[in-house]
Amino acid sequence: MASVGPVTAQRLHFSEPLALRSGAVLADYTLVYETYGTLNAARSNAVLVCHALNASHHVAGLDAEGARGWWDNLVGPGKPLDTERFFVIGVNNPGSCFGSTGPMHPNPATGRAWGADFPVQTVEDWVDAQARLLTRLGIERLAAVIGGSLGGMQALAWTLRHPARVRHCIAIASAPNLSAQNIAFNEVARRAIVTDPDFHGGHFYDHGVLPQRGLRVARMIGHITYLAEDAMDSKFGRELKHAALAYSTQAVEFQIESYLRHQGDKFSRYFDANTYLLITRALDYFDPAADHGGDLARAFAHDPATREVGFLVVSFTTDWRFSPARSREIVKALVDNRAAVSYAEIDAPHGHDAFLLDDPRYHGVLRARFERIAAETAVAERRAAPKPAPIPSGDRPPYPVAEGPQ
Amino acid sequence: MASVGPVTAQRLHFSEPLALRSGAVLADYTLVYETYGTLNAARSNAVLVCHALNASHHVAGLDAEGARGWWDNLVGPGKPLDTERFFVIGVNNPGSCFGSTGPMHPNPATGRAWGADFPVQTVEDWVDAQARLLTRLGIERLAAVIGGSLGGMQALAWTLRHPARVRHCIAIASAPNLSAQNIAFNEVARRAIVTDPDFHGGHFYDHGVLPQRGLRVARMIGHITYLAEDAMDSKFGRELKHAALAYSTQAVEFQIESYLRHQGDKFSRYFDANTYLLITRALDYFDPAADHGGDLARAFAHDPATREVGFLVVSFTTDWRFSPARSREIVKALVDNRAAVSYAEIDAPHGHDAFLLDDPRYHGVLRARFERIAAETAVAERRAAPKPAPIPSGDRPPYPVAEGPQ
């Protein structure tokens, strides 16, 4: 199947302050996004893709550096999320390090980089920022919002905060909140970063250094939790790096060590330490039931429009980070509300990472769902086909826009 | 039930070089040990307790500082491992940081602390060192060797290296080798330590600093793997540390964070970084099947005396570090050899740490086993009751011996 080809990231500046869940305010900010496919006349075929921890707006196609989007196997012409039918939007969340306003950008109050002072973000804040982007793009209602892991949490939050603006919600490998163990892994990763002497209290930009030691360790921890134990054994087992053991505490003896060190090194070169802290915190804080006495069903019952959303919840049998049991909690709360919910528990060997892979059963479930949504959307388009309003071009971005190869 | 009361650690110096599995040699070394109960006339009631990652020879009773032994709930008068019947020995392994020769002691070749140059230890090396200790104590054959986790690996290694010297082997919460995931967690912990600027290539003793940042992170990672996810949720869940969220990336928000930081801090003050590297490596390297074409059954078949040992293998349902499936691999290999093996899979909520706790079903299984061993031992004593040879007093230790309160 074809790829969407070269894509150019776009930017929109928002000068209306964003009130955050923490009580702080993001006075103004820029969002970077990409789109694939064509918005139909009814503006009814838009699908928003929410990204997880280390991903970005670059969902599909090839960016300016020729890098393939993180969900390119899912999104493209003829693919399960078919860009010949849908107008797909990938947006980078505030606090990230891939272009949208984040801790490495100037804090208007000081003129220096925000660093650790960047306002703490929550899933709900991101969803509100995304909603504003859609408004600016002239999209009142999404055909679907979709995401995996932390992206799935955003998809769920859409149905709680802006339910009238979502027809379908697809939450994959997600959870209604983090378990103590999930928080624990995040906390260890954060401690590794924060206690790296090169972190400088989050203001390492001013010191010309990066807390790479901490980021490496954080990424290695994360990576272990993304992979199923059996898959790790199949892929690496106890295979040695060299012909014989070196009997050394610091040498690379096993292939799994080599793989993890490589993943950690790579990550520490491109990912921002403050962003890592912010995003793991957003994960920790997400807990929609907490505002409703700990009852997730009541959270979904709060706005009657939530019940009008069509839900698809997907989990993977070997995902021990966000296990199927966590997805079933979401399903149960929706069933308790008599919401329209389908649940697919995919027997896949790849653990949490499975949501990024193209397992045929998994992609089959998504393809079927998007075919159904496309059929609905076509109906909607025939019924009401208003002349589209011009899409606003947005304010001028505060810094140069990266130009793609096209 | 009573405790064994105050105990004094003892020391023996060994001047005969210990040939290590790595090919290196430990020219001479001191072992620190404790004993509880009385060796019978036949010298047939000795039970060796092997320690795991962060424990020591101080198994039971109160040491000079008044600290209770790590397995005091199991070992004592009237307890499952009853010191009124058995002569119990706890020994600190070489490379540890609790008194036996280790990386903080002088390297005879340089006069400086060994640091990272301390010879890499394996489970087999430890067992050989323990065997020499028993010889010096005048014990030819153990009534039993027992250990949990890494201690269980030592118990198994006894039956492979010195099977004629073991009547019973009790391996609890153990595994025939580490999985890729187990190695991965060890490797992340090691990277955290080794990349701490205060590690100084393992020679931090010379710099008057300790790599506490790395040790904290290492311990936090380890601790997560010792606890069952459900038990963590029961104990901590998403409980907050303070009345309201601070919305901060670095503050302590959740109780689980507070608990983990506390565990990390405590550990980083008493545990040696080089020892941590050595002990995790010993875990990584343990793989008795590797010398027998990867076939654990062949490893147990190598010496016919192994088949004469009575095995008890115990696992815990919620242990995801060394899961019941890993213990069943051991059992299967023993059954393939028609060895006498009992297997208990204890339904306990506490994860890997369960082996240290006094779950009644677990302790019931151990009590029954030791009653059987005691009965056998009594028979052995009636059959052959030689006059005991005097226990050698050992060479003078190379540094002052800590005196207990008694």
Side-chain angles (χ1 to χ4, degrees):
Chain A
M1 279 171 289
S3 161
V4 296
V7 287
T8 305
Q10 299 169 72
R11 289 170 186 276
L12 278 177
H13 185 73
F14 295 79
S15 46
E16 190 194 345
L18 186 70
L20 305 172
R21 194 174 160 87
S22 65
V25 169
L26 199 55
D28 73 309
Y29 55 96
T30 295
L31 295 182
V32 176
Y33 65 98
E34 289 182 3
T35 68
Y36 324 97
T38 307
L39 187 62
N40 65 9
R43 300 178 180 279
S44 62
N45 68 333
V47 174
L48 177 67
V49 177
C50 304
H51 70 76
L53 199 149
N54 69 322
S56 73
H57 53 280
H58 184 43
V59 174
L62 301 171
D63 69 8
E65 281 81 41
R68 198 165 288 280
W70 58 272
W71 229 350
D72 192 72
N73 61 29
L74 184 76
V75 178
K79 292 181 179 172
L81 177 40
D82 188 349
T83 51
E84 290 175 342
R85 296 164 133 180
F86 291 102
F87 178 66
V88 180
I89 305 148
V91 56
N92 190 219
N93 291 323
S96 177
C97 52
F98 295 115
S100 292
T101 299
M104 66 298 299
H105 295 140
N107 176 351
T110 64
R112 291 165 58 209
W114 279 101
D117 303 326
F118 193 82
V120 163
Q121 303 288 303
T122 66
V123 167
E124 289 80 5
D125 301 331
W126 288 336
V127 163
D128 289 352
Q130 293 162 6
R132 286 190 182 172
L133 172 68
L134 294 186
T135 301
R136 289 274 288 273
L137 295 179
I139 296 159
E140 178 49 34
R141 195 176 185 197
L142 289 165
V145 59
I146 181 172
S149 190
L150 176 58
M153 291 174 170
Q154 293 163 59
L156 292 173
W158 262 95
T159 74
L160 297 168
R161 291 183 80 77
H162 308 288
R165 298 189 67 177
V166 190
R167 286 182 193 277
H168 290 265
C169 166
I170 305 177
I172 305 162
S174 190
N177 60 29
L178 295 201
S179 69
Q181 189 192 72
N182 293 147
I183 296 173
F185 279 123
N186 281 349
E187 173 67 2
V188 185
R190 281 191 296 263
R191 295 315 292 168
I193 290 170
V194 164
T195 62
D196 184 331
D198 285 339
F199 183 65
H200 293 289
H203 293 286
F204 50 90
Y205 316 108
D206 301 342
H207 293 78
V209 291
L210 298 172
Q212 286 187 292
R213 302 181 199 88
L215 275 167
R216 279 190 206 105
V217 167
R219 181 55 166 179
M220 290 169 84
I221 295 168
H223 214 86
I224 297 172
T225 70
Y226 306 150
L227 301 179
E229 179 162 23
D230 285 353
M232 254 184 159
D233 274 333
S234 305
K235 192 169 175 185
F236 303 104
R238 299 181 51 81
E239 203 182 318
L240 300 183
K241 177 75 177 171
H242 305 290
L245 287 169
Y247 288 103
S248 153
T249 56
Q250 296 179 51
V252 172
E253 296 276 41
F254 297 93
Q255 290 289 1
I256 180 67
E257 296 173 337
S258 173
Y259 172 79
L260 279 182
R261 288 195 194 185
H262 173 73
Q263 294 293 335
D265 285 346
K266 202 171 67 174
F267 188 75
S268 75
R269 286 193 293 266
Y270 78 80
F271 208 83
D272 178 75
N274 286 308
T275 292
Y276 201 91
L277 303 182
L278 287 167
I279 296 194
T280 54
R281 263 306 189 215
L283 277 160
D284 291 355
Y285 289 136
F286 182 66
D287 189 12
D291 294 335
H292 300 275
D295 183 344
L296 188 63
R298 276 181 52 200
F300 283 121
H302 183 69
D303 187 331
T306 302
R307 195 169 311 168
E308 304 305 312
V309 176
F311 287 88
L312 171 62
V313 176
V314 180
S315 72
F316 300 97
T317 48
T318 56
D319 182 353
W320 62 278
R321 190 168 201 251
F322 293 158
S323 70
R326 303 311 317 273
S327 278
R328 288 194 296 263
E329 288 177 44
I330 299 167
V331 172
K332 183 181 180 308
L334 289 167
V335 168
D336 287 349
N337 278 292
R338 302 184 188 187
V341 54
S342 301
Y343 175 52
E345 194 168 306
I346 307 288
D347 189 8
H350 301 292
H352 190 62
D353 261 0
F355 87 88
L356 295 166
L357 306 177
D358 59 357
D359 179 279
R361 284 161 295 188
Y362 164 46
H363 272 197
V365 166
L366 293 185
R367 181 180 290 279
R369 186 62 166 217
F370 280 113
E371 278 172 3
R372 180 180 140 196
I373 299 172
E376 283 179 21
T377 306
V379 168
E381 193 169 8
R382 274 197 301 275
R383 275 192 200 145
K387 192 175 176 341
I391 296 176
S393 64
D395 309 347
R396 184 163 291 280
Y399 29 76
V401 177
E403 289 300 322
Q406 69 180 5
Chain B
M1 278 171 291
S3 161
V4 296
V7 287
T8 306
Q10 299 169 72
R11 288 168 186 276
L12 278 177
H13 185 72
F14 295 79
S15 47
E16 190 193 344
L18 186 70
L20 305 172
R21 194 175 160 86
S22 65
V25 169
L26 198 55
D28 74 310
Y29 55 97
T30 295
L31 294 183
V32 176
Y33 65 99
E34 288 182 3
T35 68
Y36 324 98
T38 307
L39 187 62
N40 65 9
R43 301 177 178 277
S44 62
N45 69 333
V47 174
L48 178 68
V49 177
C50 303
H51 71 76
L53 199 148
N54 69 321
S56 72
H57 54 280
H58 183 42
V59 174
L62 302 170
D63 69 8
E65 282 80 41
R68 198 165 289 280
W70 58 272
W71 228 349
D72 192 71
N73 61 29
L74 184 76
V75 178
K79 291 181 180 173
L81 177 39
D82 187 349
T83 50
E84 290 176 342
R85 295 165 132 178
F86 290 103
F87 178 68
V88 180
I89 305 149
V91 56
N92 190 219
N93 291 323
S96 177
C97 51
F98 295 114
S100 293
T101 299
M104 66 297 299
H105 294 142
N107 175 350
T110 65
R112 292 165 57 208
W114 280 101
D117 303 326
F118 193 82
V120 164
Q121 303 288 304
T122 66
V123 167
E124 290 79 6
D125 300 331
W126 288 336
V127 163
D128 290 352
Q130 293 160 7
R132 285 190 183 175
L133 172 68
L134 295 186
T135 300
R136 288 273 288 272
L137 295 180
I139 296 159
E140 178 49 34
R141 195 176 185 196
L142 289 166
V145 58
I146 182 173
S149 190
L150 176 57
M153 290 174 170
Q154 293 163 58
L156 292 172
W158 261 95
T159 74
L160 296 168
R161 292 183 80 76
H162 308 287
R165 299 189 67 177
V166 191
R167 285 183 193 277
H168 290 266
C169 166
I170 304 176
I172 305 162
S174 190
N177 61 29
L178 294 201
S179 69
Q181 189 191 72
N182 294 147
I183 296 173
F185 278 122
N186 281 350
E187 172 67 1
V188 183
R190 281 192 295 264
R191 295 315 291 167
I193 291 170
V194 164
T195 64
D196 183 330
D198 286 338
F199 182 66
H200 293 290
H203 293 286
F204 50 87
Y205 315 108
D206 301 344
H207 294 77
V209 291
L210 298 173
Q212 287 186 292
R213 302 181 199 88
L215 275 167
R216 279 190 206 104
V217 167
R219 182 56 167 179
M220 290 169 84
I221 295 168
H223 214 84
I224 298 173
T225 70
Y226 305 151
L227 301 180
E229 179 160 25
D230 285 352
M232 254 183 157
D233 275 332
S234 306
K235 191 168 176 187
F236 302 104
R238 299 179 51 81
E239 203 182 318
L240 300 183
K241 176 76 178 170
H242 305 291
L245 287 169
Y247 288 102
S248 153
T249 56
Q250 296 179 51
V252 171
E253 295 275 42
F254 298 93
Q255 290 288 2
I256 180 66
E257 296 172 338
S258 175
Y259 172 78
L260 279 182
R261 287 195 195 186
H262 172 73
Q263 294 293 335
D265 284 347
K266 202 171 65 173
F267 188 73
S268 75
R269 286 192 293 267
Y270 78 80
F271 208 83
D272 178 76
N274 286 308
T275 293
Y276 201 91
L277 303 182
L278 287 167
I279 296 193
T280 54
R281 263 306 190 217
L283 277 159
D284 291 356
Y285 289 136
F286 182 67
D287 190 11
D291 294 336
H292 300 275
D295 183 346
L296 188 63
R298 276 181 51 202
F300 283 121
H302 183 68
D303 186 330
T306 301
R307 195 169 312 168
E308 304 306 314
V309 177
F311 287 88
L312 171 62
V313 177
V314 180
S315 72
F316 301 97
T317 48
T318 56
D319 182 354
W320 62 278
R321 189 166 202 252
F322 293 156
S323 71
R326 305 310 317 275
S327 279
R328 288 195 295 264
E329 289 177 43
I330 299 167
V331 172
K332 185 183 179 306
L334 289 167
V335 168
D336 287 350
N337 277 293
R338 302 183 187 186
V341 55
S342 302
Y343 174 54
E345 194 167 306
I346 307 288
D347 190 7
H350 301 293
H352 189 62
D353 262 359
F355 87 87
L356 295 167
L357 305 176
D358 59 356
D359 179 280
R361 283 161 296 188
Y362 163 46
H363 272 198
V365 165
L366 293 185
R367 182 181 290 279
R369 186 62 166 218
F370 280 114
E371 278 172 3
R372 179 179 142 199
I373 299 173
E376 282 180 21
T377 305
V379 169
E381 196 168 3
R382 274 198 300 276
R383 274 193 199 143
K387 193 173 175 341
I391 296 175
S393 62
D395 308 349
R396 183 163 292 279
Y399 29 75
V401 176
E403 289 300 324
Q406 70 180 9

